[in-house]
Amino acid sequence: MSKGKVLGIAAVLVVVILGAGLFWLGSNTNLLASGTYYTKIDNAHVTENDSTGDVIHLQSGEPFVYHLPAANEVGNGIETSFGAARELRQGAYLELKLEPLRGVVYWEEISPEKMPPKAAEALG
């Protein structure tokens, strides 16, 4: 086999492996999710960021980081992570805006009546 064919096969394998890894990562996190999702605050799932400034937190630079399930208007669920400047009200409903790779870029509290029925059902 010529050197060009070997390099071509190796390049294809690298692309396939990277693509499969990105697909797997995206399907197990909110990495590739986008659109509007909804969640309910459970303060048992909040962690505090280290405030020393020594550690870079890729999920958020905010003092509190939430790790919660979320669902879109048709009931498809994902796990989300997002930051907040303060601990949020227990049981509050949030509307989350997600972008691919960036994750949650915006959130706001909404009334329970604004929750789509399928999202509320998926969140239990």
Side-chain angles (χ1 to χ4, degrees), residues 3-27:
K3 208 181 233 184
K5 284 185 180 180
V6 170
L7 288 175
I9 292 171
V12 168
L13 285 174
V14 167
V15 168
V16 168
I17 291 170
L18 288 175
L22 186 60
F23 177 78
W24 177 81
L25 187 60
S27 65

Side-chain angles (χ1 to χ4, degrees), residues 49-50 70 72 92:
N49 269 339
D50 181 10
N72 62 11

Side-chain angles (χ1 to χ4, degrees), residues 21-76:
L22 186 60
F23 177 78
W24 177 81
L25 187 60
S27 65
N28 289 311
T29 65
N30 64 1
L31 183 66
L32 300 179
S34 66
T36 302
Y37 283 78
Y38 302 88
T39 192
K40 184 177 180 181
I41 294 298
D42 180 357
N43 284 320
H45 299 281
V46 64
T47 57
E48 289 190 51
N49 269 339
D50 181 10
S51 62
T52 63
D54 295 339
V55 179
I56 297 173
H57 298 281
L58 298 177
Q59 293 173 337
S60 176
E62 297 287 350
F64 297 94
V65 178
Y66 284 85
H67 306 280
L68 297 168
N72 62 11
E73 61 276 351
V74 295
N76 295 333

